[in-house]
Amino acid sequence: MGTAARFLHSPAHPLPTLPRTRLRPPASLLSSFALPSRALLLHPNSTHLFFPIKSSTKLSLRPNHKHLTPIQASSQSQFHSSPEPRTLPKPFFFLPLPAIDLSGITPLTVCKWSAVIAVALAAAKQTAALLLDPFFWTYFSIAWVFWPWLLAILLAAYGLYSFCRHSLGCSTLVEQLAIVTSTVAWLTLVPPAHFNGFLEGWPIAIFFIYYYFFFFESSVRKRLYGDLYPRPHDSKWDVGLPRAAQIGFAVFVFIGHWLAAYEGPELHLISGGWANAVTWLLVAMTLFMRYHSVLYLAKYSEKVVVPTAVVQFGPYRWVRHPIYASTMLLFALHCITLRAPLSLAYLVAVCLFYYGQKAELEEALMVETFGETYTEYMKKVRYRLIPLLY
């Protein structure tokens, strides 16, 4: 109505012929039957133009006059209130380039990223040169195909992590299995694979023998208590050498296994068949000695390792410490199968020194606990670790 009133007050001149443009006001305006004093401006590319009209604006109806009033500064601010973001040209729209704040870059940051880029380029260059070298594919690729070093290193790392959790008493069954698996692998598989480039024959068999051997006591503990955790008991039975001696023994045993793999011939030169009949007999003797030693100790003990009586059955009729003797025999088997006599003498000497001192401490405790009964047993079974020798 206000627009109609403004047209009524304008001078009476004949109306010019205007281009026919279809105006489509908003539905909300149609519903009120009145046009607002200021219409909305649409996008410049739109065909429906609504322009602002102030009440004080006087329209001229001359034929050559433009009927669109200029857009005021306030109206232009509706489109240009904020600058348009600067973007890359169209051919680079597909590149996800992040925004980089150049004000936060320091010389130290430049040096760090330069070092990272340099190391990455050097590693890529060395890798490409290695993969394109026919000497690598002819000889050294066997070591990567048959013995994955990366898997061995990851297994060792997880074994150390599991051992730390086990020392805190919060390891799971899988983590306890990982401790045994990683230890046995680095004793029996990694050394011959390192010196031969591949695995075959006895090292693979020794791996499973070691694995089965060290689970006898764990299987008994699992059967008795439902888990593998040691139970609390009188601390006087925690007989052992100082921590430095224990760590030294573990290191010496580890070195002995690697020396055996270094001393022995190449794996494909080790004879098989009936030549190993005596070795298999020693394997059976080792496993049966370990199994029956743990079994009889569990029958006459509390918490598996705390004896309640003097055990005089099974392997205890031959040596007073058959569990230690079986472990020493197992290490000797590793050297025998790899044909390493010097390493065999080295490991036997290490075991005799360590287990001999530990056996003395345990025997003193047994004499204190069982008195004459254990003294008579020592007179009956004279040897500690090796029948007829020691």
Side-chain angles (χ1 to χ4, degrees), residues 6-329:
R6 286 194 293 273
F7 275 104
L8 290 177
H9 290 288
S10 63
H13 295 286
L15 295 175
T17 304
L18 301 176
R20 303 180 65 181
T21 303
R22 184 178 179 182
L23 300 177
R24 184 179 298 173
S28 59
L29 299 179
L30 294 177
S31 61
S32 61
F33 297 97
L35 293 175
S37 61
R38 184 170 183 170
L40 298 177
L41 285 173
L42 300 181
H43 194 273
N45 296 333
S46 175
T47 57
H48 310 295
L49 298 177
F50 297 93
F51 48 88
I53 302 176
K54 294 185 178 180
S55 58
S56 61
T57 303
K58 296 183 180 181
L59 297 179
S60 175
L61 298 182
R62 289 177 295 176
N64 296 328
H65 195 277
K66 295 181 180 180
H67 292 277
L68 295 178
T69 58
I71 300 177
Q72 303 296 329
S74 60
S75 301
Q76 295 179 0
S77 62
Q78 299 176 5
F79 298 101
H80 304 285
S81 58
S82 60
E84 295 183 359
R86 301 179 64 184
T87 58
L88 293 174
K90 290 185 178 180
F92 299 95
F93 279 163
F94 61 92
L95 294 177
L97 298 177
I100 301 177
D101 186 10
L102 299 179
S103 61
I105 296 180
T106 61
L108 181 60
T109 305
V110 174
C111 293
K112 288 181 178 179
W113 280 107
S114 300
V116 170
I117 294 174
V119 172
L121 291 176
K125 181 179 178 181
Q126 292 294 332
T127 303
L130 182 64
L131 295 178
L132 296 177
D133 188 1
F135 183 74
F136 169 79
W137 291 107
T138 304
Y139 297 98
F140 294 101
S141 60
I142 300 177
W144 291 87
V145 172
F146 291 94
W147 181 244
W149 272 103
L150 180 60
L151 179 61
I153 294 174
L154 292 177
L155 181 62
Y158 185 66
L160 291 175
Y161 166 77
S162 302
F163 180 76
C164 293
R165 285 181 53 84
H166 183 68
S167 62
L168 299 176
C170 57
S171 61
T172 62
L173 179 60
V174 175
E175 292 171 343
Q176 296 180 49
L177 293 175
I179 297 173
V180 179
T181 304
S182 59
T183 303
V184 173
W186 276 82
L187 288 177
T188 61
L189 294 182
V190 178
H194 173 71
F195 293 110
N196 290 270
F198 62 95
L199 284 174
E200 65 176 4
W202 272 110
I204 300 176
I206 290 295
F207 170 80
F208 290 103
I209 293 172
Y210 269 56
Y211 206 94
Y212 188 55
F213 178 88
F214 286 109
F215 265 103
F216 283 140
E217 184 175 345
S218 301
S219 62
V220 172
R221 189 183 301 276
K222 177 72 173 178
R223 183 175 59 187
L224 293 178
Y225 309 121
D227 55 44
L228 301 179
Y229 298 105
R231 292 303 188 273
H233 55 273
D234 192 350
S235 59
K236 75 173 186 177
W237 293 103
D238 296 331
V239 178
L241 297 179
R243 181 58 60 88
Q246 298 177 13
I247 297 176
F249 174 71
V251 172
F252 289 145
V253 168
F254 184 81
I255 294 175
H257 282 73
W258 278 75
L259 288 177
Y262 173 76
E263 179 188 357
E266 297 181 4
L267 295 179
H268 68 277
L269 298 178
I270 298 177
S271 59
W274 288 102
N276 296 309
V278 178
T279 306
W280 282 112
L281 181 62
L282 291 176
V283 169
M285 182 186 302
T286 303
L287 295 178
F288 276 102
M289 179 183 293
R290 179 74 172 195
Y291 175 75
H292 286 91
S293 300
V294 175
L295 182 63
Y296 282 110
L297 182 62
K299 286 184 177 180
Y300 294 92
S301 300
E302 180 185 5
K303 316 303 181 191
V304 179
V305 294
V306 180
T308 57
V310 178
V311 183
Q312 305 182 31
F313 306 96
Y316 290 91
R317 294 176 296 177
W318 306 324
V319 291
R320 298 198 295 266
H321 304 275
I323 293 180
Y324 299 154
S326 62
T327 304
M328 185 170 58
L329 184 57

